[in-house]
Amino acid sequence: MIQIRRIPLRPHGDERGSVTELFRQSWCPPEEPAPVQWNFLRSTGNVLRGVHVHLTHFDNLVVLEGTMHLALCDLRAGSPDFRRGSLIALRGDEPTMVVIPPGVAHGFYFDAPCLAVYGMSHYWAPATDELGCRWDDPGLNIPWPASCTAPLLSPRDHDASSLETLLQHMATAEAAQ
């Protein structure tokens, strides 16, 4: 399994409903910056977002309602999990925060409508910190669900390059830093 952090969230409920703490800065270890931007995601079914990778920022992801199939592939040079792919089902009725570090490519597949929130440790900067590749590149080694055969993609994700091209862009960007 790729090394990501999972933080179980505990709903506090009664006959009126429930309240669940989504984030505390104290949950972030010193080497991991806290989120500075939070986003709300609403998705219809048969939608795939990604596969994307960030060079600098962490994502803190929580599904509120529905199910997200979170695909991961470790692209960090020197990682023992390099190019290992995995798939995690995140469900709103089992709230968990997943922290995705820089260098771990990720995609979100929704086979049904879903609501989620995600925090980012740096402000969104698509020109400098948002790289991607084709979701179905075999080099990602992602075991997509059987229902993920012809998902709806954004134009950017539809036209994304190969994993090899992405790795070349990552190496160029890291060398420039």
Side-chain angles (χ1 to χ4, degrees):
M1 174 58 111
I2 296 169
Q3 295 301 309
I4 57 169
R5 278 194 329 111
R6 291 185 194 209
I7 303 165
L9 303 177
R10 194 173 44 169
H12 302 279
D14 59 24
E15 65 277 356
R16 300 167 297 156
S18 67
V19 172
T20 304
E21 239 180 331
L22 292 181
F23 179 78
R24 282 186 179 218
Q25 187 156 351
S26 63
W27 295 347
C28 292
E31 68 277 4
E32 184 182 300
V36 296
Q37 178 179 332
W38 286 90
N39 302 306
F40 175 75
L41 184 151
R42 178 188 313 269
S43 188
T44 60
N46 194 39
V47 167
L48 195 142
R49 298 171 186 267
V51 165
H52 303 149
V53 66
H54 311 296
L55 301 177
T56 59
H57 83 252
F58 289 77
D59 282 334
N60 296 56
L61 179 64
V62 178
V63 170
L64 304 174
E65 189 173 290
T67 300
M68 170 193 292
H69 301 278
L70 172 61
L72 302 163
C73 183
D74 194 338
L75 300 181
R76 297 172 290 183
S79 168
D81 294 321
F82 184 67
R83 291 181 85 156
R84 179 178 291 169
S86 65
L87 189 70
I88 301 168
L90 299 176
R91 298 172 26 153
D93 60 356
E94 297 174 357
T96 301
M97 178 177 288
V98 173
V99 182
I100 305 169
V104 174
H106 50 282
F108 311 149
Y109 176 66
F110 308 97
D111 49 13
C114 185
L115 303 177
V117 294
Y118 63 99
M120 302 179 337
S121 64
H122 296 73
Y123 293 110
W124 189 56
T128 59
D129 191 36
E130 183 90 14
L131 301 174
C133 70
R134 292 271 318 158
W135 69 275
D136 55 356
D137 190 300
L140 292 168
N141 298 304
I142 294 172
W144 293 104
S147 59
C148 185
T149 58
L152 180 61
L153 304 168
S154 71
R156 175 181 163 225
D157 292 340
H158 180 270
D159 297 335
S161 63
S162 69
L163 174 60
E164 292 306 319
T165 301
L166 169 61
L167 290 169
Q168 291 169 5
H169 288 152
M170 289 177 70
T172 300
E174 289 170 2
Q177 290 180 351

